[in-house]
């Protein structure tokens, strides 16, 4: 799908600016989430951003994808993105919840009952930032996502400039 996107995308200056803000917002959520996530056997991450949403990485991923859809200005691709993203991630979340429940029992069940699956009821940015570590985010491979984002943005800039600039 990424190759199709790159060839169908036709950004303007406006779509590029607005979409990039959404991409950066989504990646910020992903980076903070990856920098908080504890990948240790026997531990359920419930600190930092995970105290407000059980799936912040997926929120960030959706916003990242939505931002690229805004940049690309391709309605068909954007509709396809939403039609694929939502059922795929819904299935992934359901499998993860079943796995966590079977492995962590009451500890996960308490977390499941008290923290929303997606949309937080409230947010405490001080707690979120206090609990995250940039080193942990890179250790959890979020650096690869950053490289991918920059690569796509550069490709789109070059493609657009050599295709007669960034109008409108």
């Amino acid at each position: 799908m990424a190759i199709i996107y790159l060839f169908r995308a036709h950004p303007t200056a406006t779509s590029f600016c607005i979409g990039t803000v959404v991409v950066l917002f989504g990646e910020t959520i992903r980076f903070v989430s990856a920098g908080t996530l504890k990948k240790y056997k026997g531990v359920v991450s419930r600190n930092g951003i995970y105290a407000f949403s059980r799936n912040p990485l997926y929120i960030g991923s959706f916003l990242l994808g939505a931002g690229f859809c805004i940049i690309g200005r391709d309605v068909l691709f954007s509709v396809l993105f939403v039609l694929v993203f939502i059922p795929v991630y819904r299935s992934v979340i359901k499998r993860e919840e079943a796995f966590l429940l079977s492995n962590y029992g009451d500890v996960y069940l308490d977390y499941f009952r008290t923290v929303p699956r997606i949309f937080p009821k409230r947010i405490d940015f001080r707690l979120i930032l206090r609990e995250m570590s940039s080193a942990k985010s890179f250790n959890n491979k979020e650096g690869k996502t950053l490289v991918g984002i920059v690569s796509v943005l550069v490709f789109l800039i070059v493609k657009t400039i050599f295709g007669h600039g960034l109008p409108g």
Side-chain angles (χ1 to χ4, degrees):
M1 281 185 65
I3 292 172
I4 293 169
Y5 168 80
L6 291 172
F7 286 102
R8 290 182 55 95
H10 295 288
T12 63
T14 302
S15 73
F16 193 86
C17 290
I18 293 169
T20 299
V21 168
V22 177
V23 165
L24 293 176
F25 184 58
E27 178 50 23
T28 299
I29 293 171
R30 284 187 52 84
F31 193 82
V32 168
S33 300
T36 307
L37 185 60
K38 294 178 180 176
K39 293 184 175 183
Y40 310 116
K41 192 167 184 126
V43 175
V44 174
S45 290
R46 357 174 13 147
N47 58 322
I49 199 166
Y50 290 91
F52 306 100
S53 169
R54 296 194 314 265
N55 296 286
L57 272 165
Y58 301 147
I59 296 169
S61 294
F62 181 81
L63 290 171
L64 206 150
F68 277 115
C69 288
I70 292 167
I71 291 170
R73 298 183 326 123
D74 183 340
V75 174
L76 180 62
F77 189 88
S78 299
V79 169
L80 183 62
F81 167 73
V82 171
L83 290 176
V84 169
F85 187 94
I86 291 173
V88 165
Y89 277 91
R90 174 180 252 177
S91 174
V92 168
I93 289 169
K94 292 283 192 181
R95 279 195 311 271
E96 285 179 355
E97 288 173 346
F99 171 81
L100 292 167
L101 186 58
S102 71
N103 283 284
Y104 300 104
D106 290 339
V107 171
Y108 181 72
L109 190 57
D110 177 56
Y111 179 61
F112 181 90
R113 288 179 177 156
T114 57
V115 177
R117 177 180 283 151
I118 302 292
F119 302 108
K121 294 177 186 169
R122 65 180 188 83
I123 296 176
D124 180 340
F125 291 106
R126 288 176 299 167
L127 174 65
I128 289 170
L129 295 175
R130 184 174 57 233
E131 294 289 329
M132 84 74 66
S133 155
S134 295
K136 188 183 290 183
S137 189
F138 283 106
N139 189 48
N140 283 334
K141 312 286 190 263
E142 197 57 27
K144 290 181 179 182
T145 304
L146 287 170
V147 169
I149 290 167
V150 170
S151 299
V152 171
L153 291 174
V154 168
F155 178 88
L156 290 171
I157 289 169
V158 169
K159 174 187 175 190
T160 305
I161 289 172
F162 286 106
H164 310 307
L166 286 168

